[in-house]
Amino acid sequence: MTDVVIPQTVLTYLLKTNTFIHRRLLQFIDDKEKRFYQFLNEFHSETCAERTSLTTEEQFTIDQTINVARFYHRHLEGISGSRKLTITLLTNEANNYPQTDDIDIKSVESYAQEHFGSKNPEIFDLLPTSDRTGIPTTTVPFQPHLSPNEITKLISQNRIVRGYVRMNRYNKYEAQIVSQSLPVSVIVYGQANLNRAIDGDYVAIHLNDRTQWKAVSNRLIPRESPVEITDIEPPPTNLNEQAITDLHPTGQVVGIVRREERSFPGSLIIPPNLKKSSRTQHFMFRPIAPTIPLIAVSVTDPSMYLGKRVSVVIDGWGESEAVPHGHISQVIGDMGVIEIEQESVLQEYQVPHEAFTAPQLDCVPDTDGLDWMREKMEKAGSAMDVDDGDVDEDDDVRWNLTDRPICSVDPVGCRDIDDTIHAAFIFNDSQSELPSLPAPYETHPFIAASSILSQSTLFEFSQDEEAYLELGVHIADVAHFVKQNSALDVEAALRGTTTYLVGKRYDMLPKKLTEELCSLRSNELHCSFSVLWKVDLKTLEIVDAKFNKSVILSCASLTYEAAQTVLDQLEREPIPLNRPQIVRNVTDVLGKATDVTTRTASSLVLCRDAARRLKKGRFDAGALSLSSPQLHFELDAVSHDPVSVEAHAMVEANSMIEEFMLLANIWVARRIYSVFPSFALLRRHPPPPAMGMKWLEDVFETVGLPFDGSSNKALNASLDRASTSKQFTDLFFPTMLKMTATRSMSLALYFASGDLEYSDFIHFGLATPIYTHFTSPIRRYSDLVVHRMLAASLNMDGDSPSPVSIEKGTGMEYDQQSVAAVCANLNRRYKNAKDAGRADAQMNTLRMIWKMQNENKTEMDTNDGKVDTRRMKAYISKVYQNGVVVYIPQFACDVPVLMEDGTDEKTSFKQKVHSFDSRKQKIVCVDLKTKKSKQLTIFQPIFVSIHVSQDTAGYSMDADFLFE
């Protein structure tokens, strides 16, 4: 199909309702061979339509689209001569359009039937269908949904509220509705009360009377369970204040306010030995997301989809239909192929990952503009001899920091290096002798090797000041290459972040930027944005800070392990001053052997010691020590399949980098907010919700530990006391407790400063009143925006911005509304990218175990020895009335362990529940074979046998409790 016109009104509507189709249409428009065209109808005098307050979004789109079709009819009729041209308007809402003689209005289905039906009958699998024959029906119809006008009226009367549906991953019949109108979430039980709402829907709900409030379900009900339980925990007859704290409001969904029109990846459930039929048939589609229901899909030839991953779009859900119905939007590929499974993960979490278009790539410059400096460097012999002052580059004035002992520390294989650090003593050359150094450096003479003479100082020496300590963070100057509102900037804003899967990276920006121009690789000149701090040597406190664009020359690109090796070696043995290389053959981020100079090593020691002081200061102020374990995979060099996996080990070098990045983010946040108080892009971490803190308090009470959650400092003290408690001998107990605390927290969010009061800016976890993201502009769009704001705040000419730059910025244009819109997209993209990374890590873990078991292997090698999947150590993370959920540290995943409690139809249980205490998180179970009983409580270490299976939903893990 060619010569297709897409009205601007339609694209605008799709941007609000279906970003997937919106992006696909934009790709068609960019592809000149497809001959798809965008028409800016809202800015054309003959096609624009007036919209009144009574005009709905749908009617406005219809009016505008009709105007475009009629305009093209008149326009082409006048130039076509005797040739008759037909204008066809394609829409799935053909019945809502007025019929006219000059415009042929057709549904997409009827158009396909007319032009492609006889040759390609399978094309109808990709279209919505009006045929509902074969869709399972309900015995009792669902209640009709309220109309938009009815919803608006009832909301104004405070009779209903709106909120987002969040399905329970362990109970397919329970959802929580999160509403800004209520301080707690609303519980909805059962399919009838959910009334056709699915995970992620924005719905209207009617609240029940307080006597019908209930606690969150304590039952495990997997997706495959045929039993529907609508009344799981009846409320107590006498409600007292203590009981009410455990209860949630309950309600029923009365309308779908908004459902994002998106595609769901998964597979069709096609029975084996299915007889061929000449008619279309409905089959159940199982999404890979366990929170999405089965979907009825009509197909012409089911054999085409055997063993395939496909994407399905939901078209509707009738009142008498047991499941929603939809159509196939894309055939992704063969199940079990790692690339196809990862593509499915990306689609599930709506991660934009298409190849960059030619117009976007055209925005990438060929050079960084530092060639002139490289030429001078070659003639002078070193970069630091090029210029003793600032570097003039275009209209900006950059600091020349090529004399600083700068280095980067990153994970193995990192190619997008966007942050570097340094530390050095700056001596006052008016002193005849080197000054004495503060403890502990007076016993380490090699530290003097990092000294820099005063002509390089960027801070003033106070009277009689002999020296000071300079700390520096230097971040890739991505804003220098990506101009605001360029085609590349628009795409980066949409993507929001780089997404990391196992063995793959889906960049926010093209690789020429991420791995070449912007990546701060060692022994290369690069443009950066620097933050420097002056530390008083008597008090070891920061007394001043400066921000500016700069040119740097990194001395080394080390891995965390290599940096730790350097620090550990210097801790063990003194180093003579005249030794140029003090640590040989450590590995850089690309796995190459490198030598670390005395100058670089001394900088690392100073950075490490400064980080220790910074970390202590943060925790003294109330910062939380939380835990969210990450996995490290070893991949096969040929197939790229995982061959081993284990929890990622952290060393002090990780903490060192973290402290420097946090310091830079805090100081930059202060700066941009002081200049742009109404629209600075900031990041906040709200205090935990009341129910989260209540759950954490109950956990502490269950394990017999004191709890104080009145502030972040009090909470961290409770965690510290628990971690050092002698009543728990298992070394993993503190980690389990911190993981539980992490899961009780609120999500951190980006926001525009003008949208909230200053008191609401707080970052609860970091214990800082103001915070932002500045240190990763290669992989986070938030940081790129902050770079532009910081540059505008400096005006690149001095310390005080001009009135113009305060209003619009130097090279940037933001206001409160635009920053708020950017933040809304970033919050969604950032969460989706994190969720996609976790889902992919779990998929790869299960895939690896599944392949092992298919090869009759049960053991794998790790750094801690062999691990046997038939007997794995696990920890109970949650207790239910019909089982437990266990956390397996080796694979960093939670697995439910189901037990018989008299209400399930499953007959293969190995244990039966004897008693259950929700408050104390305790269950007593009986082994059905030996008849022995055992008490299980939260955090208790146990052993489980695990088994991984593969079906149309993907890989899934089952665990059996070993009754030892």
Side-chain angles (χ1 to χ4, degrees):
M1 182 186 295
T2 57
D3 297 320
V4 177
V5 176
I6 312 294
Q8 170 199 2
T9 302
V10 173
L11 285 172
T12 303
Y13 180 74
L14 287 172
L15 183 60
K16 298 176 183 177
T17 60
N18 194 323
T19 55
F20 174 75
I21 295 180
H22 179 264
R23 289 179 63 82
R24 291 289 296 273
L25 286 178
L26 288 181
Q27 290 171 353
F28 285 178
I29 293 170
D30 288 337
D31 188 341
K32 303 303 181 186
E33 294 182 1
K34 291 189 179 296
R35 290 159 60 185
F36 273 56
Y37 306 98
Q38 178 184 1
F39 180 58
L40 301 178
N41 59 292
E42 294 182 24
F43 299 100
H44 196 288
S45 60
E46 297 185 50
T47 57
C48 63
E50 292 187 10
R51 181 176 182 180
T52 68
S53 58
L54 300 177
T55 308
T56 64
E57 185 85 22
E58 291 76 11
Q59 186 60 49
F60 180 68
T61 303
I62 290 173
D63 294 342
Q64 292 273 39
T65 309
I66 282 286
N67 285 351
V68 171
R70 286 174 173 163
F71 166 78
Y72 270 93
H73 177 77
R74 294 192 303 271
H75 178 65
L76 296 177
E77 190 176 45
I79 64 174
S80 61
S82 59
R83 228 168 23 123
K84 183 178 180 180
L85 295 178
T86 301
I87 303 297
T88 303
L89 195 160
L90 294 183
T91 173
N92 285 331
E93 305 292 335
N95 293 334
N96 295 331
Y97 279 71
Q99 295 299 315
T100 63
D101 295 332
D102 52 347
I103 307 297
D104 186 17
I105 301 176
K106 291 181 180 292
S107 69
V108 178
E109 184 178 2
S110 62
Y111 184 86
Q113 179 68 51
E114 181 179 332
H115 292 271
F116 311 108
S118 59
K119 297 179 181 178
N120 305 99
E122 67 276 4
I123 197 172
F124 295 102
D125 295 351
L126 306 178
L127 301 175
T129 178
S130 56
D131 180 15
R132 309 288 182 83
T133 306
I135 297 178
T137 58
T138 59
T139 54
V140 179
F142 289 105
Q143 290 296 311
H145 287 153
L146 298 179
S147 69
N149 289 339
E150 290 174 317
I151 290 174
T152 302
K153 181 180 178 180
L154 291 174
I155 286 175
S156 66
Q157 298 172 352
N158 292 324
R159 294 171 61 186
I160 61 175
V161 297
R162 290 175 295 194
Y164 287 94
V165 178
R166 298 288 181 260
M167 296 300 299
N168 186 334
R169 61 181 293 207
Y170 292 125
N171 187 332
K172 66 175 182 176
Y173 294 120
E174 178 186 88
Q176 295 192 33
I177 311 298
V178 182
S179 174
Q180 292 184 345
S181 306
L182 300 172
V184 296
S185 56
V186 179
I187 302 297
V188 177
Y189 292 95
Q191 292 282 44
N193 289 328
L194 279 168
N195 197 9
R196 295 166 286 160
I198 66 171
D199 191 57
D201 282 354
Y202 189 50
V203 300
I205 52 174
H206 175 267
L207 298 179
N208 293 328
D209 184 82
R210 177 169 288 204
T211 58
Q212 298 181 52
W213 287 15
K214 299 176 183 178
V216 177
S217 168
N218 274 309
R219 283 189 56 77
L220 291 165
I221 304 180
R223 177 161 64 175
E224 293 73 17
S225 172
V227 181
E228 178 177 342
I229 301 176
T230 58
D231 192 14
I232 298 168
E233 293 204 16
T237 52
N238 297 317
L239 292 176
N240 54 52
E241 290 303 316
Q242 181 65 35
I244 287 177
T245 60
D246 293 331
L247 303 179
H248 283 257
T250 60
Q252 305 88 36
V253 174
V254 294
I256 310 294
V257 179
R258 184 172 61 251
R259 171 174 293 162
E260 185 176 15
E261 297 181 25
R262 53 158 297 194
S263 58
F264 299 96
S267 297
L268 291 172
I269 305 173
I270 301 174
N273 305 318
L274 182 71
K275 294 182 179 180
K276 209 166 187 181
S277 173
S278 58
R279 298 183 305 168
T280 59
Q281 304 173 70
H282 276 94
F283 295 91
M284 288 298 106
F285 167 81
R286 175 178 285 155
I288 62 174
T291 55
I292 303 299
L294 298 176
I295 303 169
V297 175
S298 174
V299 298
T300 54
D301 184 1
S303 63
M304 293 177 56
Y305 306 108
L306 279 170
K308 299 288 185 182
R309 283 267 180 254
V310 300
S311 291
V312 163
V313 173
I314 293 178
D315 298 322
W317 193 342
E319 294 171 15
S320 62
E321 296 169 349
V323 295
H325 60 272
H327 68 277
I328 295 172
S329 61
Q330 181 187 4
V331 178
I332 303 173
D334 294 332
M335 289 175 55
V337 176
I338 188 64
E339 292 79 10
I340 300 303
E341 299 296 351
Q342 288 189 320
E343 174 66 23
S344 299
V345 169
L346 293 171
Q347 287 197 22
E348 169 59 31
Y349 293 97
Q350 302 176 75
V351 175
H353 59 287
E354 296 83 1
F356 290 97
T357 64
Q360 293 161 1
L361 293 174
D362 288 343
C363 298
V364 180
D366 295 326
T367 178
D368 57 11
L370 296 179
D371 289 343
W372 66 273
M373 192 171 180
R374 293 186 182 92
E375 293 177 4
K376 285 191 175 183
M377 184 177 75
E378 290 180 5
K379 294 178 181 179
S382 69
M384 60 188 74
D385 295 334
V386 171
D387 186 60
D388 290 334
D390 294 327
V391 176
D392 294 320
E393 185 268 328
D394 295 332
D395 294 328
D396 299 337
V397 179
R398 291 183 181 270
W399 289 334
N400 181 358
L401 299 181
T402 55
D403 56 350
R404 265 52 172 187
I406 295 170
C407 71
S408 62
V409 184
D410 290 284
V412 176
C414 179
R415 294 179 179 271
D416 51 343
I417 303 172
D418 50 14
D419 58 85
T420 57
I421 63 172
H422 89 276
F425 288 113
I426 309 296
F427 292 103
N428 189 340
D429 65 352
S430 63
Q431 304 294 323
S432 57
E433 297 180 359
L434 292 179
S436 59
L437 300 178
Y441 304 114
E442 73 275 5
T443 59
H444 293 274
F446 74 91
I447 292 295
S450 68
S451 305
I452 304 173
L453 295 179
S454 62
Q455 62 257 33
S456 292
T457 184
L458 291 164
F459 296 98
E460 296 289 334
F461 283 98
S462 60
Q463 188 174 2
D464 299 326
E465 187 175 28
E466 298 177 326
Y468 65 83
L469 176 63
E470 179 184 86
L471 306 179
V473 166
H474 317 276
I475 307 300
D477 187 8
V478 179
H480 176 64
F481 302 96
V482 181
K483 305 305 180 185
Q484 188 179 2
N485 297 326
S486 65
L488 181 56
D489 182 56
V490 171
E491 177 65 17
L494 179 69
R495 298 187 181 209
T497 182
T498 293
T499 300
Y500 294 88
L501 301 188
V502 175
K504 287 190 176 181
R505 189 183 79 223
Y506 295 89
D507 290 316
M508 182 184 78
L509 296 167
K511 277 188 168 51
K512 185 172 182 180
L513 286 175
T514 62
E515 296 187 4
E516 296 179 30
L517 293 176
C518 294
S519 185
L520 304 179
R521 298 175 296 192
S522 58
N523 302 313
E524 297 179 3
L525 288 177
H526 282 289
C527 298
S528 66
F529 212 141
S530 297
V531 185
L532 300 182
W533 295 272
K534 179 183 179 182
V535 178
D536 183 273
L537 291 183
K538 294 179 181 179
T539 64
L540 293 180
E541 297 290 333
I542 294 175
V543 294
D544 198 3
K546 289 182 179 291
F547 317 84
N548 211 70
K549 293 197 173 188
S550 59
V551 177
I552 65 168
L553 182 68
S554 174
C555 303
S557 300
L558 301 177
T559 63
Y560 287 112
E561 293 74 18
Q564 194 61 47
T565 298
V566 173
L567 293 170
D568 291 345
Q569 182 165 326
L570 297 187
E571 196 82 21
R572 291 192 300 267
E573 57 185 82
I575 305 299
L577 276 173
N578 59 357
R579 182 172 168 183
Q581 284 87 25
I582 59 171
V583 181
R584 294 186 178 274
N585 292 324
V586 296
T587 55
D588 66 11
V589 289
L590 298 183
K592 299 178 182 177
T594 185
D595 296 335
V596 178
T597 65
T598 303
R599 193 163 170 266
T600 303
S602 61
S603 177
L604 282 173
V605 171
L606 290 174
C607 287
R608 189 269 319 273
D609 292 346
R612 287 176 175 174
R613 295 192 297 271
L614 291 169
K615 187 172 185 177
K616 183 180 184 302
R618 282 199 308 113
F619 284 105
D620 286 346
L624 298 178
S625 176
L626 301 175
S627 179
S628 182
Q630 296 179 335
L631 293 178
H632 173 70
F633 289 85
E634 290 290 336
L635 303 181
D636 183 90
V638 178
S639 67
H640 303 293
D641 278 343
V643 293
S644 70
V645 59
E646 53 193 325
H648 185 69
M650 304 290 282
V651 293
E652 190 178 14
N654 292 85
S655 176
M656 174 183 72
I657 296 299
E658 180 185 20
E659 293 302 326
F660 270 70
M661 298 305 109
L662 294 176
L663 183 67
N665 289 336
I666 292 170
W667 280 78
V668 169
R670 294 172 183 168
R671 174 68 191 188
I672 63 174
Y673 175 64
S674 69
V675 179
F676 307 117
S678 65
F679 60 85
L681 192 155
L682 303 176
R683 187 165 175 83
R684 68 190 183 102
H685 181 214
M691 294 304 295
M693 290 298 284
K694 182 64 173 63
W695 159 245
L696 195 57
E697 182 179 3
D698 288 346
V699 168
F700 269 76
E701 182 182 337
T702 298
V703 296
L705 293 171
F707 177 81
D708 183 357
S710 58
S711 67
N712 46 11
K713 188 170 185 177
L715 175 57
N716 201 54
S718 297
L719 291 170
D720 283 343
R721 285 193 300 269
S723 299
T724 56
S725 174
K726 294 182 179 179
Q727 68 185 89
F728 297 98
T729 57
D730 193 290
L731 297 178
F732 199 72
F733 169 75
T735 301
M736 285 297 298
L737 198 59
K738 290 178 180 179
M739 285 172 53
T740 303
T742 302
R743 294 173 178 181
S744 303
M745 296 290 117
S746 302
L747 290 177
L749 300 167
Y750 296 107
F751 68 102
S753 55
D755 289 345
L756 296 172
E757 297 294 330
Y758 185 81
S759 58
D760 294 325
F761 290 10
I762 185 174
H763 196 293
F764 186 84
L766 297 176
T768 178
I770 191 168
Y771 190 68
T772 193
H773 274 164
F774 163 77
T775 54
S776 293
I778 288 179
R779 63 193 77 170
R780 288 190 307 231
Y781 190 74
S782 56
D783 304 54
L784 179 53
V785 174
V786 169
H787 273 235
R788 291 170 179 154
M789 291 183 172
L790 182 60
S793 78
L794 302 172
N795 203 28
M796 304 314 299
D797 291 322
D799 291 333
S800 300
S802 67
V804 173
S805 70
I806 290 179
E807 183 178 346
K808 285 199 169 184
T810 302
M812 72 151 204
E813 293 184 7
Y814 293 111
D815 57 23
Q816 187 171 336
Q817 185 177 1
S818 63
V819 172
V822 167
C823 291
N825 179 63
L826 289 178
N827 288 330
R828 176 170 171 260
R829 296 297 186 194
Y830 195 71
K831 180 181 184 302
N832 285 1
K834 291 285 187 183
D835 289 345
R838 282 191 285 265
D840 182 63
Q842 180 165 339
M843 183 271 292
N844 273 274
T845 300
L846 300 187
R847 174 185 170 85
M848 179 191 67
I849 300 171
W850 178 77
K851 293 186 72 173
M852 282 175 45
Q853 292 175 344
N854 276 2
E855 296 170 359
N856 294 319
K857 297 178 182 177
T858 61
E859 293 184 340
M860 68 175 71
D861 294 319
T862 71
N863 290 338
D864 298 324
K866 289 187 179 295
V867 172
D868 194 331
T869 59
R870 295 169 301 181
R871 189 177 185 274
M872 298 207 69
K873 192 171 187 180
Y875 295 82
I876 297 174
S877 59
K878 186 84 163 64
V879 177
Y880 290 85
Q881 70 183 57
N882 63 330
V884 296
V885 173
V886 299
Y887 179 80
I888 303 177
Q890 181 67 37
F891 303 135
C893 67
D894 291 298
V895 186
V897 180
L898 291 169
M899 300 177 185
E900 181 186 341
D901 71 342
T903 63
D904 299 275
E905 295 184 1
K906 182 179 175 183
T907 59
S908 58
F909 292 113
K910 295 185 178 180
Q911 288 88 30
K912 182 177 182 178
V913 175
H914 179 267
S915 63
F916 165 69
D917 189 326
S918 173
R919 170 75 69 175
K920 295 183 178 180
Q921 282 289 287
K922 179 176 67 176
I923 192 172
V924 177
C925 61
V926 177
D927 186 80
L928 295 176
K929 184 176 182 180
T930 64
K931 306 303 179 183
K932 293 181 179 179
S933 64
K934 192 175 185 70
Q935 177 176 295
L936 303 177
T937 58
I938 193 168
F939 300 155
Q940 181 177 335
I942 63 173
F943 286 93
V944 296
S945 173
I946 63 173
H947 179 267
V948 174
S949 57
Q950 184 190 31
D951 58 19
T952 53
Y955 301 96
S956 59
M957 180 187 290
D958 293 318
D960 286 321
F961 170 49
L962 298 181
F963 217 84
E964 299 178 346

